[in-house]
Amino acid sequence: NAGVTQTPKFQVLKTGQSMTLQCAQDMNHNSMYWYRQDPGMGLRLIYYSASEGTTDKGEVPNGYNVSRLNKREFSLRLESAAPSQTSVYFCASSEAKGQEVYNEQFFGPGTRLTVL
Amino acid sequence: RKEVEQDPGPFNVPEGATVAFNCTYSNSASQSFFWYRQDCRKEPKLLMSVYSSGNEDGRFTAQLNRASQYISLLIRDSKLSDSATYLCVVSKNDMRFGAGTRLTVKP
């Protein structure tokens, strides 16, 4: 099992460009999450999906959109990238259903994004 | 004030030392607590959950104090391989991560 995979691993964008970060999990988990990690800030939740077909905003959703394509895949889109979106982005999945977050979250290897 | 606060360190300790990290949280309604480990430029991985009665996993001991709203992690007999950043995680409706405490274990 690959666990949680993310593409790309690295990306450099110019301000105003758009891109989609891809995430897939093979653990049959219901819930999937997108976080960003910035120095001194800890991971912050951008969006999550409690089940296929549902998505909800997290702590820092502005400037992002998501799609839960199916149970396996959860993508994050930056429509018009800004330098403030320079960060490391992690996708995660867990068995939790709905608002339950008592179970372990499994993380992908991350995408390092730089916006110039 | 951050919801989850940790001493950023770094903690530099010799092999075999005992080291303790503390974490405080602001939401008294928090229900689940965890310690994650993150190696340099890698993803976080669950180290252990933290239970109300405290729990131990080998050289690692986690404690929870709900009244004072803090969580601790004790590492005994430190190994070089323990060098990493340790993230405190607290959840109610979603998971809130601390910024992490960096540990370096030296020979």
Side-chain angles (χ1 to χ4, degrees), chain A residues 64-80:
Chain A
Y64 306 96
N65 285 301
V66 290
S67 294
R68 184 74 181 266
L69 304 168
N70 47 56
K71 193 170 186 179
R72 288 188 65 249
E73 298 172 289
F74 188 38
S75 62
L76 178 72
R77 182 159 179 84
L78 286 71
E79 290 291 352
S80 180

Side-chain angles (χ1 to χ4, degrees), chain A residues 5-95:
Chain A
T5 57
Q6 291 182 235
T7 57
K9 285 189 167 52
F10 303 93
Q11 184 70 50
V12 179
L13 293 177
K14 294 181 180 177
T15 296
Q17 287 185 316
S18 62
M19 77 161 296
T20 300
L21 281 63
Q22 306 286 353
C23 173
Q25 53 93 7
D26 62 3
M27 295 174 282
N28 202 36
H29 286 165
N30 288 310
S31 297
M32 297 185 73
Y33 312 84
W34 275 105
Y35 293 91
R36 60 177 289 173
Q37 186 175 34
D38 302 293
M41 298 288 292
L43 280 89
R44 291 181 292 168
L45 184 65
I46 304 171
Y47 270 92
Y48 69 97
S49 170
S51 62
E52 185 179 349
T54 68
T55 61
D56 286 286
K57 294 178 180 179
E59 187 182 356
V60 289
N62 291 346
Y64 306 96
N65 285 301
V66 290
S67 294
R68 184 74 181 266
L69 304 168
N70 47 56
K71 193 170 186 179
R72 288 188 65 249
E73 298 172 289
F74 188 38
S75 62
L76 178 72
R77 182 159 179 84
L78 286 71
E79 290 291 352
S80 180
S84 60
Q85 294 178 304
T86 293
S87 188
V88 181
Y89 291 86
F90 288 102
C91 177
S93 71
S94 75
E95 291 181 347

